[in-house]
Amino acid sequence: MAKNKTAQTDQNVMDFINSFANSEQKKQDSYTLLKVMEEASGHQAKMWGPTIIGFGSYHYKYDSGHQGDAPMLGFSPRKAAISLYVYTGLKEHEHLLKDLGKFKMGKACIYVNKLSDIDQDALKELMKQSISFLKNNYEIS
């Protein structure tokens, strides 16, 4: 079975932000997200793969037999937009997006240009519901 590319690493999170975020705004937004996601998850930030900052982890296993570990919450200050890994993608959680603000949806993440484009309280509720779903459906570590 192939090894997952997005595995937890020992790379320093602050070094990553300071070298990877391409603007002062993305750096400041990243520092804010560190605090918000640490509070929401109860876990310190760790690097996952070369570009994702993750918080906590859960173990998943698909019907196909593919399995692995992934962060409960995460983000990446990418060049085009900040990628937020905070949403289950489930139909019953779509209502949590209505008050979020200005964003674009990807298959597995939410893209925002800057943190001020979204409502912080809506983001916190989205993270809370996602963590609750993960705790109820997966093995958390």
Side-chain angles (χ1 to χ4, degrees), residues 10-116:
D10 290 331
Q11 184 181 0
N12 183 284
V13 172
M14 294 306 282
D15 289 348
F16 167 73
I17 290 171
N18 291 324
S19 66
F20 190 77
N22 65 343
S23 71
E24 192 57 37
Q25 180 68 54
K26 281 211 176 100
K27 286 181 186 177
Q28 293 306 314
D29 287 350
S30 294
Y31 302 146
T32 299
L33 285 168
L34 283 175
K35 183 179 179 200
V36 169
M37 290 188 179
E38 281 182 354
E39 287 175 4
S41 69
H43 295 275
Q44 287 201 301
K46 301 284 184 184
M47 290 301 301
W48 285 75
T51 61
I52 296 174
I53 300 167
F55 303 81
S57 68
Y58 69 98
H59 187 78
Y60 62 87
K61 184 174 183 179
Y62 298 137
D63 290 339
S64 66
H66 176 78
Q67 62 181 319
D69 296 311
M72 290 192 306
L73 299 175
F75 74 94
S76 184
R78 302 190 191 282
K79 187 175 184 177
I82 297 171
S83 300
L84 300 173
Y85 303 95
V86 297
Y87 180 58
T88 64
L90 295 172
K91 201 91 166 136
E92 61 262 32
H93 290 154
E94 283 181 2
H95 71 280
L96 297 167
L97 299 173
K98 71 177 176 58
D99 295 325
L100 190 58
K102 185 178 172 185
F103 67 93
K104 292 182 181 173
M105 281 300 301
K107 185 174 181 179
C109 64
I110 294 169
Y111 300 105
V112 298
N113 290 325
K114 56 188 181 294
L115 216 45
S116 61

